[in-house]
Amino acid sequence: MPTEAQISKPPSRTQAVTDTAFRALCQGFTWLVAIIAVIIVLKIVLAALPAVRQYGFGFLSGQVWDPNKKVYSILPEIWGTLYSSVLALIFGTAFGVAAALFLAEGFTADAVFALLKVVNLQFHPFWGKLPEQVENLLSNLIELLAAIPSVVYGLWGLFVIIPLVRPACHWLHADLGWIPLFGTDLSGPGMLPAVIVLSIMILPTITAIGRGALLAVPTRLRMAAYGLGATRWEAIFAVTLPTASRGIFGGIVLAFGRALGETMALAMLVGNANVISVSLFSPANTLAALLANAFPEASPKDVGVLMYAATVLLVITLLVNVVGAYIVQFTASELEGEKV
Amino acid sequence: MRIPGWSFAAAVLLATIWMISCQKAGPSKEGADVRLQGSGASFPFPIYSKWFKVYSEAHQNVEIDYQSTGSGSGVKSFIDKTVDFAASDKAMTPAEIGRVAAGVQLLPLTAGTIVLTYNVPGVKELKLSREAYVGIFLGTVKKWSDPAIIKTNPGVNLPVSVINVVVRADSSGTTFVFTQHLSAISKEFAANPGRNDMPAWPVGTRSKGNEGVTASVQTTPGSIGYIEYGYAMSQKMPMAQLENKSGQFIAPSTASGRAALASVDLPENLIAWVPDPEAKDAYPIATFTWLLCYKKNPDPRKAEVLRGLVSYILTDGQKESEALGYLPLPDAVAAKVKAAIQNIQ
Amino acid sequence: MTSDVAAAKPGIPRNPDAEALDPFHGVDFSKLERSLHRPRTFMSMLFTVIVSAMTLFALIPLFSVLWLLVWRGGRKLSIAAFTQLPPAPLEQSGGFGNAIVGTLAICGLALLISLPIGILSAIFLAQAKPDNRLASSVRFAGKVLTGFPSILAGVFAYGVVVMATGGYSALAGAVALSILMLPTILLTSEDAIRMVPERMKEAAIGMGATDTQTVWMVLLPAAVPRILTGVMLAIARGAGETAPLLFTALFSNYWLLWHGHLKLMQPTASLAVLIYNFAGMPFANQVELAWAAALVLVVMVLIANLIGQSLASRQVQ
């Protein structure tokens, strides 16, 4: 690494060459990413073309998937994908941002400090460091949720979540069945267990990235708010969150992507039924789960139909991102205010 | 959290010691000369794992691996030549066979049965007539107290509740064989949904894999679902006795399964189905499963190992079948397969 | 000033001598103390309670899953599990040592592919002008690819690597995983670099540093913690994905390392595929091993996380 003296001089020949070369390298790799993305999309679309020619747009509006009669359509799957991902995003964001705030705004440290005060250890050389350590520990624990394999989430959902929520679902359906959300009965795998597990899967992404964004907010902004008389939460809502909003939205985009494309866990939990229903307890199907279930046994000539479904998923992700970008553009720029 | 530097060095040291010790702890092979890779059906995965492991351990210079990815994937890999052999519950269609330039030798090496497992509290034995079990999967027989079920189970206390039918969510050879049987015994079923590895079931909650169906049935009272016999046996699940073509109610077992396959006459290409066996003591739902080998292998040593492997499977290997829930091949069938081994070159 | 403070309490006769000694004489401190009777303070405390409850609630699933793994697989955690090869059905012993090595190898390779591409592209994207079409398209492509189903990554890698090399391999598995890891690394790294305060960058440029020097000496070190978060999330996802590996690396019941010869171009075992295989088997030994393997996988990612953080904190100092 060059010293300060070397930097302040005009760049030497090697430094200038390295600079240009490095910038070219970065640009080259960006082109590489673009090319990879294009190749991936092309391969899938090309494989889908025969099926597109054969089934046309009826594929998108029908509700029957019958391999025997060669009738294929994926409207239930499109509905299931969007419904499950949006619901999971709502819950995941709520809990994820809450956890990010808890970890970044010092609440953990306060709680631990209060505990230490009780035993009068808060200034101890070793125990005094505990608040910071606990914050790191909790942060690592939440990131650990991201490390659990999809298959394990699926099994956990089957063995723990479904038996857990079944009594409550029966009661809700029996008493409040007139509300469309509770319209059907939970017979095992269904939308609700899938949404619960999916929210837990995307939560660590939002928390980890959100925490990073919150920690990046300059302290003086917060201090300025306190100085004006804001309570802790007024400062958070009025100053910290808006400033960190861009980073948090980045986390939300990644989380939404993950929710749309989640394969294994949903294949086990969503019930794989070709129904369109608003009910939380009804089984449903998603595009990714359909792919996971149908691909292994698909004979080479059935693959085209599945690739068509994959193309539709890509298009949905694309549209969702376009809409999301507009939303972010309108809200985040207002929230962020001037960059200091 | 700062981890002290010396812990890194200690960790690397430990890892190296572990890697070296593993070399000694594992089976001592002087470098495998021949490695065979197969993929395909999940139905025979347990018994294939067992056979391949036993054979590899017995032969010093051989490593054989098999991964269950699904019959369709197995056939695709076989056509693409990315594996040395494959396995399929649905054999191969003539079109698919035509795409393999090196020629295909299909070998039925084992067979299995599919059972209906149920969870009805207090009911230890359940006899289901053809009318009943086809009706259940068509959705026409909706409750456990349906006359079709009560008729064949006199004295059994059946609840008035709705039957929770559990079917497979994923495409599988098990479903293929089950729907083939149902289509053979019921014209209504053949018309809709018909035989397929992922049919449009008119009724039922869907669970992924044998283990998913088992878990669903186990945790939901009033359920019934179809799984492999080996699975039901290992998990000690109750199995329904089904009415066969002769009108007898047969419980699934190795004997009744073998009776189903005993009368089959294998044609030249060794592909045969038994959608509705006629024997009196035959269990109605049984199927072979096939190993797919190239007739012309690029490496003669691999061909040799394959021939040895299949010979072993047809002789000593069949003894392992019963413990794992598969059916030992009938003698006539085994003889025909043995003769076909010579086609693998 | 003293008079202003004392004036807050009407009705009490003012005592100038007392005020000179005690400037806060007559002040009612209870009005200045924090009191939950005031609506703003109450709301603040309410939010604190809600957020704490939500965070603890979010931790419950983690402990539930970990408990499930320990309860179902804890029995199988022994030296044997780490040093032996996978058992055949009805065998009572066996382990998943080769799967651990395989996961390390495949994830390591995947990182080797996606990390340089991701970070170097992120550097370009973070520095690009807003109207740069390449940058905005790549950013958009990255966002769309985050939704890429894992099974398709496997199918794509099958078509590109497995068909080209004629067989399943750890390399193909690594390519499939890197497709899943790249968008996360790319997007989080770009955001991380953008979050570095402008003035640090301007200071470096003001001192005469070239763009490259700015990146390496100022931007990257400052962004390392957040880049690391993204990398860790990517690794966590990659290590746990089964579907892509089923089409690319398959599985192997034998060791990767053999007499010093690394077999990377052959089917390779991995913890994710082992869990998928064994969890679906009806044999108790296998199922327990699957749970134990899941536990080991989670712990491995945790260790990777801790090592990464330790390295990062070293770097920043």
Side-chain angles (χ1 to χ4, degrees):
Chain A
M1 286 287 119
T3 63
E4 281 183 21
Q6 287 176 316
I7 294 182
S8 39
K9 287 206 276 272
S12 69
R13 189 118 177 124
T14 10
Q15 285 177 342
V17 167
T18 330
D19 184 50
T20 327
F22 184 70
R23 299 219 317 258
L25 187 70
C26 288
Q27 190 162 10
F29 272 141
T30 313
W31 275 109
L32 183 64
V33 173
I35 293 173
I36 293 175
V38 166
I39 293 182
I40 291 178
V41 171
L42 265 182
K43 250 193 159 306
I44 294 182
V45 171
L46 282 177
L49 277 180
V52 177
R53 268 195 289 266
Q54 195 175 354
Y55 296 98
F57 285 114
F59 193 64
L60 300 172
S61 54
Q63 294 187 29
V64 178
W65 181 278
D66 192 336
N68 258 339
K69 298 198 186 43
K70 297 281 184 236
V71 175
Y72 298 108
S73 42
I74 55 170
L75 191 62
E77 278 80 12
I78 297 178
W79 163 255
T81 308
L82 289 171
Y83 196 36
S84 62
S85 304
V86 168
L87 279 181
L89 193 67
I90 294 175
F91 286 117
T93 311
F95 283 91
V97 171
L101 282 171
F102 191 78
L103 290 171
E105 291 298 309
F107 292 109
T108 347
D110 284 351
V112 179
F113 191 75
L115 277 174
L116 286 178
K117 236 165 91 165
V118 165
V119 287
N120 211 11
L121 274 178
Q122 70 269 33
F123 295 120
H124 196 274
F126 176 70
W127 294 108
K129 297 215 186 66
L130 207 54
E132 208 182 285
Q133 309 271 21
V134 170
E135 225 169 56
N136 266 333
L137 178 70
L138 272 188
S139 169
N140 279 328
L141 280 182
I142 293 199
E143 270 180 53
L144 210 58
L145 279 174
I148 299 175
S150 304
V151 180
V152 173
Y153 268 124
L155 294 170
W156 176 68
L158 280 177
F159 290 123
V160 175
I161 294 289
I162 293 183
L164 197 67
V165 300
R166 193 180 272 140
C169 296
H170 278 315
W171 176 80
L172 277 171
H173 174 62
D175 285 359
L176 299 172
W178 49 270
I179 305 179
L181 271 183
F182 309 132
T184 61
D185 202 9
L186 187 77
S187 52
M191 184 58 83
L192 186 65
V195 165
I196 292 177
V197 171
L198 200 56
S199 340
I200 296 169
M201 289 175 89
I202 64 178
L203 191 147
T205 309
I206 300 179
T207 302
I209 297 182
R211 177 175 179 246
L214 286 167
L215 286 175
V217 172
T219 325
R220 65 177 184 288
L221 283 182
R222 241 174 275 161
M223 290 301 144
Y226 292 148
L228 287 173
T231 61
R232 196 167 190 179
W233 275 98
E234 282 169 0
I236 291 178
F237 282 128
V239 174
T240 320
L241 271 183
T243 317
S245 64
R246 192 213 158 94
I248 297 181
F249 275 130
I252 294 181
V253 162
L254 283 179
F256 199 29
R258 176 87 195 262
L260 284 172
E262 177 51 43
T263 314
M264 269 303 174
L266 283 192
M268 294 179 171
L269 291 172
V270 80
N272 313 93
N274 290 331
V275 239
I276 302 186
S277 165
V278 190
S279 168
L280 285 175
F281 308 146
S282 151
N285 207 356
T286 67
L287 287 168
L290 175 73
L291 285 172
N293 281 329
F295 221 98
E297 294 281 337
S299 62
K301 53 182 178 56
D302 294 333
V303 170
V305 179
L306 293 174
M307 285 303 177
Y308 191 359
T311 316
V312 171
L313 181 59
L314 277 180
V315 169
I316 290 179
T317 318
L318 201 134
L319 289 173
V320 155
N321 272 302
V322 167
V323 169
Y326 271 123
I327 297 178
V328 167
Q329 212 172 3
F330 283 141
T331 50
S333 53
E334 275 176 29
L335 292 175
E336 242 180 349
E338 265 188 57
K339 284 193 84 123
V340 264
Chain B
M1 209 188 313
R2 287 195 61 128
I3 302 180
W6 56 260
S7 61
F8 281 121
V12 171
L13 190 62
L14 270 176
T16 330
I17 296 179
W18 169 58
M19 297 270 233
I20 298 177
S21 67
C22 288
Q23 306 261 356
K24 295 280 188 297
S28 50
K29 288 185 187 298
E30 284 311 308
D33 284 335
V34 186
R35 190 179 192 285
L36 291 181
Q37 178 66 45
S39 77
S42 49
F43 187 83
F45 182 45
I47 189 134
Y48 282 0
S49 307
K50 179 93 186 174
W51 280 335
F52 298 158
K53 183 155 194 212
V54 169
Y55 192 82
S56 303
E57 274 170 3
H59 293 78
Q60 281 304 313
N61 62 338
V62 167
E63 264 182 17
I64 310 181
D65 255 331
Y66 178 78
Q67 171 63 32
S68 91
T69 55
S71 300
S73 271
V75 169
K76 181 174 191 324
S77 301
F78 191 68
I79 296 177
D80 291 338
K81 287 202 176 38
T82 48
V83 288
D84 300 308
F85 64 92
S88 165
D89 301 327
K90 304 181 285 191
M92 276 175 93
T93 64
E96 287 163 358
I97 296 179
R99 287 174 66 177
V100 184
V104 183
Q105 180 59 58
L106 284 117
L107 300 160
L109 293 181
T110 187
T113 53
I114 296 171
V115 305
L116 291 184
T117 180
Y118 59 91
N119 177 357
V120 184
V123 174
K124 299 244 181 341
E125 242 188 49
L126 188 68
K127 290 188 169 58
L128 291 174
S129 65
R130 302 203 134 181
E131 182 198 347
Y133 71 81
V134 174
I136 291 177
F137 284 94
L138 272 175
T140 51
V141 172
K142 295 199 214 297
K143 293 191 180 211
W144 286 108
S145 54
D146 191 288
I149 306 183
I150 294 202
K151 204 168 45 173
T152 51
N153 292 285
V156 176
N157 200 359
L158 288 164
V160 196
S161 50
V162 168
I163 303 180
N164 181 35
V165 184
V166 184
V167 295
R168 289 284 289 269
D170 47 328
S171 54
S172 95
T174 313
T175 309
F176 182 80
V177 172
F178 185 56
T179 50
Q180 183 174 258
H181 170 72
L182 290 178
S183 303
I185 66 175
S186 159
K187 286 207 186 16
E188 200 185 330
F189 193 91
N192 182 28
R195 170 187 87 159
N196 199 277
D197 45 32
M198 197 166 115
W201 291 102
V203 70
T205 47
R206 300 181 186 212
S207 303
K208 186 169 163 59
N210 275 306
E211 69 277 10
V213 173
T214 311
S216 286
V217 171
Q218 272 172 338
T219 54
T220 317
S223 307
I224 188 168
Y226 63 92
I227 54 179
E228 292 168 29
Y229 173 61
Y231 224 91
M233 205 183 70
S234 311
Q235 303 283 67
K236 304 205 183 2
M237 308 278 295
M239 298 179 253
Q241 296 177 22
L242 303 182
E243 181 189 358
N244 68 7
K245 195 162 184 175
S246 318
Q248 304 291 318
F249 286 90
I250 309 287
S253 69
T254 317
S256 58
R258 290 196 85 193
L261 298 174
S263 54
V264 83
D265 189 21
L266 280 186
E268 170 85 43
N269 62 0
L270 300 184
I271 304 181
W273 303 101
V274 208
D276 194 11
E278 310 216 334
K280 246 181 62 158
D281 50 351
Y283 182 78
I285 319 177
T287 178
F288 289 109
T289 177
W290 288 264
L291 197 75
L292 313 172
C293 299
Y294 295 110
K295 279 195 172 144
K296 278 174 64 86
N297 285 278
D299 186 347
R301 290 180 310 167
K302 287 192 177 178
E304 190 184 330
V305 172
L306 275 173
R307 290 196 294 267
L309 175 70
V310 178
S311 301
Y312 155 73
I313 291 178
L314 288 173
T315 48
D316 287 331
Q318 296 293 310
K319 302 192 187 105
E320 314 268 6
S321 313
E322 189 161 357
L324 291 172
Y326 294 90
L327 310 170
L329 289 178
D331 297 326
V333 172
K336 277 209 169 126
V337 180
K338 209 166 190 161
I341 296 180
Q342 295 317 311
N343 294 341
I344 306 174
Q345 292 303 329
Chain C
M1 252 195 9
T2 333
S3 50
D4 294 328
V5 172
K9 256 305 198 157
I12 293 182
R14 287 178 56 174
N15 189 342
D17 295 321
E19 275 167 27
L21 290 169
D22 173 19
F24 293 113
H25 168 75
V27 172
D28 182 7
F29 281 105
S30 65
K31 279 225 166 75
L32 291 176
E33 270 171 13
R34 196 176 153 194
S35 161
L36 284 180
H37 294 297
R38 297 210 198 93
R40 284 167 61 196
T41 326
F42 179 71
M43 289 299 287
S44 196
M45 186 223 66
L46 188 67
F47 273 116
T48 308
V49 168
I50 292 178
V51 159
S52 316
M54 283 172 86
T55 310
L56 287 174
F57 202 66
L59 282 175
I60 294 177
L62 173 70
F63 291 124
S64 171
V65 174
L66 286 179
W67 170 246
L68 187 68
L69 293 179
V70 168
W71 174 49
R72 292 239 177 170
R75 232 177 326 169
K76 279 277 179 246
L77 278 182
S78 62
I79 304 288
F82 289 88
T83 53
Q84 288 185 12
L85 293 173
L90 292 187
E91 255 177 53
Q92 283 314 308
S93 58
F96 40 81
N98 63 337
I100 297 179
V101 174
T103 299
L104 285 172
I106 298 180
C107 286
L109 266 182
L111 257 190
L112 215 61
I113 300 175
S114 53
L115 202 60
I117 300 181
I119 295 192
L120 289 177
S121 308
I123 294 174
F124 177 80
L125 289 181
Q127 312 264 60
K129 296 201 191 19
D131 59 353
N132 187 323
R133 288 224 304 264
L134 173 66
S136 20
S137 358
V138 169
R139 206 173 288 129
F140 192 69
K143 290 188 184 150
V144 171
L145 281 181
T146 54
F148 203 52
S150 46
I151 196 169
L152 284 184
V155 171
F156 174 77
Y158 179 85
V160 167
V161 185
V162 178
M163 298 276 275
T165 56
Y168 294 90
S169 61
L171 182 65
V175 168
L177 286 186
S178 60
I179 296 177
L180 293 174
M181 291 161 73
L182 187 61
T184 306
I185 298 182
L186 180 69
L187 293 173
T188 43
S189 304
E190 190 210 339
D191 275 344
I193 297 177
R194 272 187 194 270
M195 273 191 233
V196 175
E198 281 286 321
R199 64 181 190 291
M200 289 178 71
K201 182 175 163 189
E202 284 158 10
I205 296 181
M207 283 180 63
T210 60
D211 272 346
T212 312
Q213 286 165 337
T214 317
V215 164
W216 282 100
M217 294 175 64
V218 172
L219 288 182
L220 278 186
V224 152
R226 280 183 294 280
I227 293 182
L228 196 69
T229 307
V231 170
M232 284 303 145
L233 284 174
I235 293 179
R237 177 157 185 211
E241 283 288 351
T242 316
L245 295 178
L246 278 181
F247 291 95
T248 47
L250 229 50
F251 194 72
S252 164
N253 284 306
Y254 308 98
W255 291 102
L256 189 65
L257 218 56
W258 209 249
H259 296 275
H261 179 55
L262 202 66
K263 301 187 295 189
L264 281 178
M265 290 314 288
Q266 283 186 12
T268 313
S270 54
L271 285 171
V273 176
L274 182 115
I275 297 171
Y276 172 80
N277 283 346
F278 280 5
M281 282 208 172
F283 308 106
N285 187 27
Q286 260 81 351
V287 171
E288 276 171 27
L289 274 177
W291 291 108
L295 190 60
V296 167
L297 180 60
V298 170
V299 170
M300 272 170 67
V301 175
L302 175 67
I303 294 178
N305 224 336
L306 293 175
I307 294 179
Q309 284 171 3
S310 175
L311 285 175
S313 64
R314 227 173 270 273
Q315 150 108 44
V316 169
Q317 288 166 26

